[in-house]
Amino acid sequence: MSEAFTRWDVTEHLRTREDARLYLEACAEEDPGDGSLIRAALNDIARAGNMSRLARDVGMSREGLYKALSEDGNPSFATVMRIARALGMQVRITV
């Protein structure tokens, strides 16, 4: 008897803004310090929603947003802030 596995995709589980917030928060806590996990989480959250609408709300082209959030992407802090704001989130730094 062989087992069949399917690839797990987080975007299928990000159904609400609260799901996205908790996921982004967890990724921020585990980020190695270079922002790569935060960028990846924002990419997942964007893909789970409407990428075209998010790009429009951020003031970028859809292709530009895909590129900024891709594995090789390196979005500016301003872009990250615009994405967070467009998603209805705030960036907070606490002690």
Side-chain angles (χ1 to χ4, degrees), residues 46-61:
R47 288 185 308 114
N50 184 324
M51 184 70 85
S52 296
R53 184 178 62 219
L54 180 60
R56 193 172 41 253
D57 292 347
V58 170
M60 299 177 73
S61 68

Side-chain angles (χ1 to χ4, degrees), residues 23-55:
Y23 176 60
L24 184 57
E25 201 171 86
C27 289
E29 289 175 8
E30 297 296 323
D31 190 83
D34 62 359
S36 60
L37 203 50
I38 294 169
R39 183 215 32 85
L42 287 172
N43 184 32
D44 293 337
I45 293 166
R47 288 185 308 114
N50 184 324
M51 184 70 85
S52 296
R53 184 178 62 219
L54 180 60

Side-chain angles (χ1 to χ4, degrees), residues 15-93:
R15 295 186 179 102
T16 67
R17 188 185 309 191
E18 181 69 2
D19 293 340
R21 183 190 67 79
L22 291 170
Y23 176 60
L24 184 57
E25 201 171 86
C27 289
E29 289 175 8
E30 297 296 323
D31 190 83
D34 62 359
S36 60
L37 203 50
I38 294 169
R39 183 215 32 85
L42 287 172
N43 184 32
D44 293 337
I45 293 166
R47 288 185 308 114
N50 184 324
M51 184 70 85
S52 296
R53 184 178 62 219
L54 180 60
R56 193 172 41 253
D57 292 347
V58 170
M60 299 177 73
S61 68
R62 190 172 59 86
E63 294 78 17
L65 186 57
Y66 271 116
K67 183 177 178 182
L69 296 178
S70 73
E71 191 172 328
D72 297 326
N74 189 17
S76 69
F77 186 70
T79 298
V80 171
M81 292 299 291
R82 288 195 318 261
I83 292 169
R85 188 167 288 141
L87 291 170
M89 298 180 184
Q90 296 177 353
V91 175
R92 289 192 178 157
I93 300 170

